[in-house]
PDB file of all heavy atoms in Angstrom:
ATOM      1  N   ASP A 230     -27.237 -32.046 -11.714  1.00 97.00           N
ATOM      2  CA  ASP A 230     -27.871 -33.110 -12.512  1.00 97.00           C
ATOM      3  C   ASP A 230     -29.311 -32.712 -12.801  1.00 97.00           C
ATOM      4  O   ASP A 230     -29.952 -32.049 -11.970  1.00 97.00           O
ATOM      5  CB  ASP A 230     -27.908 -34.416 -11.709  1.00 97.00           C
ATOM      6  CG  ASP A 230     -26.514 -34.967 -11.530  1.00 97.00           C
ATOM      7  OD1 ASP A 230     -25.601 -34.531 -12.270  1.00 97.00           O
ATOM      8  OD2 ASP A 230     -26.339 -35.797 -10.610  1.00 97.00           O
ATOM      9  N   PRO A 235     -36.518 -29.742  -9.274  1.00 98.00           N
ATOM     10  CA  PRO A 235     -36.545 -28.294  -9.440  1.00 98.00           C
ATOM     11  C   PRO A 235     -35.517 -27.565  -8.576  1.00 98.00           C
ATOM     12  O   PRO A 235     -35.188 -28.009  -7.485  1.00 98.00           O
ATOM     13  CB  PRO A 235     -37.961 -27.910  -9.003  1.00 98.00           C
ATOM     14  CG  PRO A 235     -38.365 -28.982  -8.060  1.00 98.00           C
ATOM     15  CD  PRO A 235     -37.717 -30.238  -8.562  1.00 98.00           C
ATOM     16  N   THR A 237     -34.813 -23.773  -6.848  1.00 98.00           N
ATOM     17  CA  THR A 237     -35.549 -22.559  -6.461  1.00 98.00           C
ATOM     18  C   THR A 237     -34.590 -21.423  -6.171  1.00 98.00           C
ATOM     19  O   THR A 237     -33.600 -21.599  -5.457  1.00 98.00           O
ATOM     20  CB  THR A 237     -36.374 -22.836  -5.182  1.00 98.00           C
ATOM     21  OG1 THR A 237     -37.145 -24.001  -5.411  1.00 98.00           O
ATOM     22  CG2 THR A 237     -37.283 -21.659  -4.850  1.00 98.00           C
ATOM     23  N   THR A 376       5.931 -14.455 -14.109  1.00 98.00           N
ATOM     24  CA  THR A 376       7.159 -15.113 -14.589  1.00 98.00           C
ATOM     25  C   THR A 376       8.283 -14.092 -14.733  1.00 98.00           C
ATOM     26  O   THR A 376       9.129 -14.200 -15.622  1.00 98.00           O
ATOM     27  CB  THR A 376       6.898 -15.781 -15.963  1.00 98.00           C
ATOM     28  OG1 THR A 376       6.644 -14.749 -16.934  1.00 98.00           O
ATOM     29  CG2 THR A 376       5.723 -16.732 -15.932  1.00 98.00           C
ATOM     30  N   VAL A 406     -11.186 -17.553 -12.195  1.00 98.00           N
ATOM     31  CA  VAL A 406     -12.501 -17.005 -12.547  1.00 98.00           C
ATOM     32  C   VAL A 406     -13.613 -17.856 -11.936  1.00 98.00           C
ATOM     33  O   VAL A 406     -14.573 -17.332 -11.376  1.00 98.00           O
ATOM     34  CB  VAL A 406     -12.638 -16.911 -14.083  1.00 98.00           C
ATOM     35  CG1 VAL A 406     -14.057 -16.541 -14.490  1.00 98.00           C
ATOM     36  CG2 VAL A 406     -11.629 -15.897 -14.630  1.00 98.00           C
ATOM     37  N   TRP A 418     -11.194  -8.786 -14.553  1.00 99.00           N
ATOM     38  CA  TRP A 418     -10.296  -9.926 -14.353  1.00 99.00           C
ATOM     39  C   TRP A 418      -8.916  -9.546 -14.844  1.00 99.00           C
ATOM     40  O   TRP A 418      -8.773  -8.941 -15.907  1.00 99.00           O
ATOM     41  CB  TRP A 418     -10.762 -11.154 -15.149  1.00 99.00           C
ATOM     42  CG  TRP A 418     -12.104 -11.690 -14.759  1.00 99.00           C
ATOM     43  CD1 TRP A 418     -13.220 -11.684 -15.535  1.00 99.00           C
ATOM     44  CD2 TRP A 418     -12.464 -12.337 -13.536  1.00 99.00           C
ATOM     45  NE1 TRP A 418     -14.266 -12.277 -14.869  1.00 99.00           N
ATOM     46  CE2 TRP A 418     -13.832 -12.691 -13.640  1.00 99.00           C
ATOM     47  CE3 TRP A 418     -11.784 -12.645 -12.360  1.00 99.00           C
ATOM     48  CZ2 TRP A 418     -14.519 -13.334 -12.618  1.00 99.00           C
ATOM     49  CZ3 TRP A 418     -12.477 -13.291 -11.339  1.00 99.00           C
ATOM     50  CH2 TRP A 418     -13.821 -13.626 -11.463  1.00 99.00           C
ATOM     51  N   GLY A 443     -19.355 -10.394 -19.063  1.00 98.00           N
ATOM     52  CA  GLY A 443     -19.771  -9.258 -18.235  1.00 98.00           C
ATOM     53  C   GLY A 443     -18.656  -8.505 -17.563  1.00 98.00           C
ATOM     54  O   GLY A 443     -18.911  -7.578 -16.797  1.00 98.00           O
ATOM     55  N   SER A 461      -3.398  -0.419 -19.646  1.00 98.00           N
ATOM     56  CA  SER A 461      -2.921  -0.396 -18.263  1.00 98.00           C
ATOM     57  C   SER A 461      -1.416  -0.220 -18.245  1.00 98.00           C
ATOM     58  O   SER A 461      -0.704  -0.795 -19.067  1.00 98.00           O
ATOM     59  CB  SER A 461      -3.288  -1.730 -17.593  1.00 98.00           C
ATOM     60  OG  SER A 461      -2.645  -1.831 -16.343  1.00 98.00           O
ATOM     61  N   THR A 579       1.035   5.070   7.516  1.00 98.00           N
ATOM     62  CA  THR A 579       2.118   6.043   7.369  1.00 98.00           C
ATOM     63  C   THR A 579       1.515   7.365   6.897  1.00 98.00           C
ATOM     64  O   THR A 579       0.370   7.396   6.419  1.00 98.00           O
ATOM     65  CB  THR A 579       3.154   5.583   6.327  1.00 98.00           C
ATOM     66  OG1 THR A 579       2.521   5.590   5.053  1.00 98.00           O
ATOM     67  CG2 THR A 579       3.701   4.201   6.644  1.00 98.00           C
ATOM     68  N   PRO A 740      19.045   9.399   3.951  1.00 98.00           N
ATOM     69  CA  PRO A 740      18.380   9.216   2.657  1.00 98.00           C
ATOM     70  C   PRO A 740      17.145   8.320   2.759  1.00 98.00           C
ATOM     71  O   PRO A 740      17.166   7.273   3.409  1.00 98.00           O
ATOM     72  CB  PRO A 740      19.469   8.575   1.799  1.00 98.00           C
ATOM     73  CG  PRO A 740      20.752   9.034   2.418  1.00 98.00           C
ATOM     74  CD  PRO A 740      20.475   9.087   3.900  1.00 98.00           C
ATOM     75  N   ASP A 793      30.953  31.463   9.536  1.00 98.00           N
ATOM     76  CA  ASP A 793      31.558  30.137   9.438  1.00 98.00           C
ATOM     77  C   ASP A 793      31.643  29.730   7.978  1.00 98.00           C
ATOM     78  O   ASP A 793      30.720  29.997   7.191  1.00 98.00           O
ATOM     79  CB  ASP A 793      30.707  29.094  10.178  1.00 98.00           C
ATOM     80  CG  ASP A 793      30.677  29.336  11.678  1.00 98.00           C
ATOM     81  OD1 ASP A 793      31.697  29.767  12.227  1.00 98.00           O
ATOM     82  OD2 ASP A 793      29.605  29.114  12.286  1.00 98.00           O
ATOM     83  N   ARG A 899       5.145  28.181  12.494  1.00 98.00           N
ATOM     84  CA  ARG A 899       5.028  29.537  13.050  1.00 98.00           C
ATOM     85  C   ARG A 899       5.646  29.583  14.438  1.00 98.00           C
ATOM     86  O   ARG A 899       6.487  30.407  14.713  1.00 98.00           O
ATOM     87  CB  ARG A 899       3.549  29.945  13.177  1.00 98.00           C
ATOM     88  CG  ARG A 899       2.911  30.447  11.916  1.00 98.00           C
ATOM     89  CD  ARG A 899       2.591  29.367  10.944  1.00 98.00           C
ATOM     90  NE  ARG A 899       1.523  29.778  10.050  1.00 98.00           N
ATOM     91  CZ  ARG A 899       1.047  29.065   9.074  1.00 98.00           C
ATOM     92  NH1 ARG A 899       1.556  27.866   8.814  1.00 98.00           N
ATOM     93  NH2 ARG A 899       0.063  29.508   8.337  1.00 98.00           N
TER      94      ARG A 899
END
Side-chain angles (χ1 to χ4, degrees):
D230 291 343
T237 308
T376 66
V406 172
W418 297 114
S461 170
T579 67
D793 294 324
R899 279 75 156 178

